[in-house]
Amino acid sequence: MAQEYFDFTNDLIFRWVMEREENCLAILRAILPELKITAVKRRENEHPVNYLAFDDERGVRFDAIIEDDQERFYDVEMQVVNQPGLGNRVRYYQAQIDQETLKKGEDYDDLRESYVIFFCAFDPCGQDRRLYQFHYYEDTDRQLRLPTNSHVILINALGTKGQITPALAAVLDVMNRRRDNQNPLAVSLVKEIDGYNRDKKRRRALMNLKMRLKDERRLGLSEGRAEGRDEMALGLIHALQAQGMPQKQIVEALALARKISLAEAQRYYEQVAQADSGGEH
């Protein structure tokens, strides 16, 4: 029986690919050739984005902001499932960029230009375009744009309309498991992803992630949606506490992961603290 193949849309595969700065540079240049980016570096921060994207070496995935040679910042994400709240996710990531990159003593005038970029394995806007870009505009005068120096780009792997670079088209072919694109970027990415699938240690991490996702879904079905949410939320809190994460960041991570308000996340946290101290839930 053939082994399961984990492709570019897999959360861990995508993370490993983007951990290499040469990949970040090539992909950003493919999306935004007009910026003429010549170098990038990754800036690791301490805010969890997806607690399920773990491997054997790390218990929690930490987001990485990319900085280019002109001090512009980027957050590049993979979105496989078309779930409600995509706009709120974009807003959250934009806030994280601003929080993580504004240096001590600086104010809002010092905010750098930033890009939140989502690769989507679906059409996020339903217009069959391959790339959507968003800014702030005045409601009654579309010629009037608020200069926030922030950009949102949603890339539709299923789209057919609109001009994109050959390199970005190659990345989308990789997302769609088309292996016949001979663009150098596509060839390089396919070779790298194939290598991750063959590597025993990385494959073990991929299988662990798959099994835990399955366990989470099974738990939610068997115990009922409400009860399942409670158990997973409490389990997440314990897991992040074991990582030594501060309370504020745990509450933020829980709210994002479970798609609940910060107030509800705080109540879950207080339940755990009370139980751990010998009180009742």
Side-chain angles (χ1 to χ4, degrees):
M1 183 176 177
Q3 284 189 324
E4 179 178 1
Y5 184 83
F6 296 95
D7 62 23
F8 191 46
T9 62
N10 177 275
D11 202 13
L12 275 180
I13 292 286
F14 182 73
R15 180 187 115 188
W16 292 333
V17 167
M18 295 302 291
E19 280 180 346
R20 299 184 59 190
E21 290 182 359
E22 57 266 39
N23 291 336
C24 292
L25 176 60
I27 289 172
L28 288 177
R29 287 169 64 97
I31 301 168
L32 296 160
E34 67 275 13
L35 297 186
K36 302 186 185 304
I37 305 168
T38 60
V40 296
K41 60 183 178 181
R42 288 168 51 86
R43 295 165 52 106
E44 299 288 346
N45 68 40
E46 298 179 353
H47 291 268
V49 175
N50 182 349
Y51 79 98
L52 288 172
F54 57 85
D55 58 22
D56 287 347
E57 297 174 351
R58 305 183 192 180
V60 179
R61 172 190 166 191
F62 292 90
D63 186 24
I65 296 170
I66 303 165
E67 181 180 0
D68 72 9
D69 53 305
Q70 299 298 315
E71 293 190 336
R72 294 173 292 228
F73 297 113
Y74 309 83
D75 189 340
V76 186
E77 302 292 332
M78 178 65 69
Q79 187 77 12
V80 176
V81 180
N82 189 5
Q83 297 176 327
L86 182 60
N88 286 339
R89 287 177 62 85
V90 168
R91 179 179 172 184
Y92 176 85
Y93 287 118
Q94 181 63 65
Q96 291 303 305
I97 291 179
D98 294 341
Q99 177 180 337
E100 293 294 335
T101 59
L102 198 62
K103 298 174 183 177
K104 187 175 182 180
E106 293 182 332
D107 60 25
Y108 59 84
D109 287 330
D110 298 302
L111 287 169
R112 276 68 164 182
E113 189 170 11
S114 63
Y115 292 78
V116 174
I117 301 171
F118 275 61
F119 279 99
C120 300
F122 53 88
D123 188 341
C125 301
Q127 296 187 10
D128 195 32
R129 293 169 56 188
R130 292 189 284 185
L131 187 148
Y132 302 93
Q133 185 162 190
F134 298 89
H135 300 92
Y136 288 88
Y137 291 95
E138 206 282 325
D139 286 350
T140 59
D141 182 359
R142 302 298 294 172
Q143 300 302 312
L144 182 58
R145 181 171 133 188
L146 191 66
T148 63
N149 267 342
S150 61
H151 312 260
V152 174
I153 297 176
L154 306 181
I155 300 168
N156 171 20
L158 304 180
T160 62
K161 297 179 181 178
Q163 295 296 317
I164 57 175
T165 65
L168 181 54
V171 176
L172 298 187
D173 277 350
V174 174
M175 280 186 67
N176 290 312
R177 292 197 182 189
R178 299 188 188 112
R179 303 178 68 92
D180 56 351
N181 192 317
Q182 294 305 304
N183 180 280
L185 181 54
V187 173
S188 174
L189 290 176
V190 168
K191 182 179 179 181
E192 186 171 336
I193 294 167
D194 286 349
Y196 293 144
N197 275 270
R198 290 191 299 267
D199 184 278
K200 290 183 179 179
K201 184 177 180 181
R202 294 193 189 251
R203 187 164 189 87
R204 184 167 62 251
L206 289 162
M207 293 303 297
N208 286 344
L209 173 59
K210 178 184 176 182
M211 292 306 298
R212 294 205 187 184
L213 287 169
K214 182 182 291 187
D215 288 344
E216 185 189 59
R217 287 193 293 269
R218 185 183 298 120
L219 179 65
L221 289 172
S222 63
E223 298 186 2
R225 290 184 178 180
E227 185 179 354
R229 281 198 300 269
D230 290 348
E231 292 296 327
M232 287 182 283
L234 300 179
L236 172 57
I237 291 170
H238 278 126
L240 296 182
Q241 285 177 330
Q243 294 288 324
M245 187 174 294
Q247 174 183 341
K248 181 176 182 294
Q249 292 183 14
I250 291 176
V251 171
E252 291 173 347
L254 178 61
L256 179 63
R258 305 311 312 158
K259 298 181 176 63
I260 58 178
S261 68
L262 286 172
E264 188 175 357
Q266 181 64 38
R267 285 196 294 271
Y268 277 123
Y269 186 93
E270 290 170 357
Q271 286 180 26
V272 170
Q274 184 178 10
D276 290 344
S277 64
E280 297 180 355
H281 283 279

